[in-house]
Amino acid sequence: LPLDEFLAAQFPRWTKGYLRGLIRDGLVSIDGQPEIVASTRLHTNALVGIDLPEEGEAARPQIRTSAQP
C-alpha cells in the first residue's frame, strides 16, 4: 500500500493533497526515517509517524501498519 493511500485511510478528514504536502515537506517518517516520496510502498509492521509542527510536541501520531509488501 502506498504511503499516501495508507495515511488517507487513517485520516479521512485530511485531503490527499494535504497529506502529500506533509510527506513532501519531510514531516512523515517510516520506522523513524523521514520519507519524502508519497508513493513509497509500506512494508508489514512499519511504524509511520507524522510531525505536525503547528500542534507542537503533543501531536505526533504514530501508526503501525499491517500492509502487505
Side-chain angles (χ1 to χ4, degrees), residues 3-9 11-28 35-39 50 52 54:
L3 177 58
D4 60 343
E5 295 289 329
F6 173 77
L7 291 175
F11 301 101
R13 291 184 180 192
W14 293 350
T15 67
K16 281 188 188 176
Y18 175 73
L19 294 167
R20 288 179 183 135
L22 293 176
I23 296 167
R24 197 172 33 252
D25 291 343
L27 299 175
V28 177
E35 181 54 60
I36 60 169
V37 179
S39 61
I50 305 173
L52 300 174
E54 67 272 9

Side-chain angles (χ1 to χ4, degrees), residues 5-6 12 32 44 46 52-53 56-57 63-64:
E5 295 289 329
F6 173 77
T44 301
L52 300 174
E57 288 293 319
I63 308 132
R64 182 75 63 183

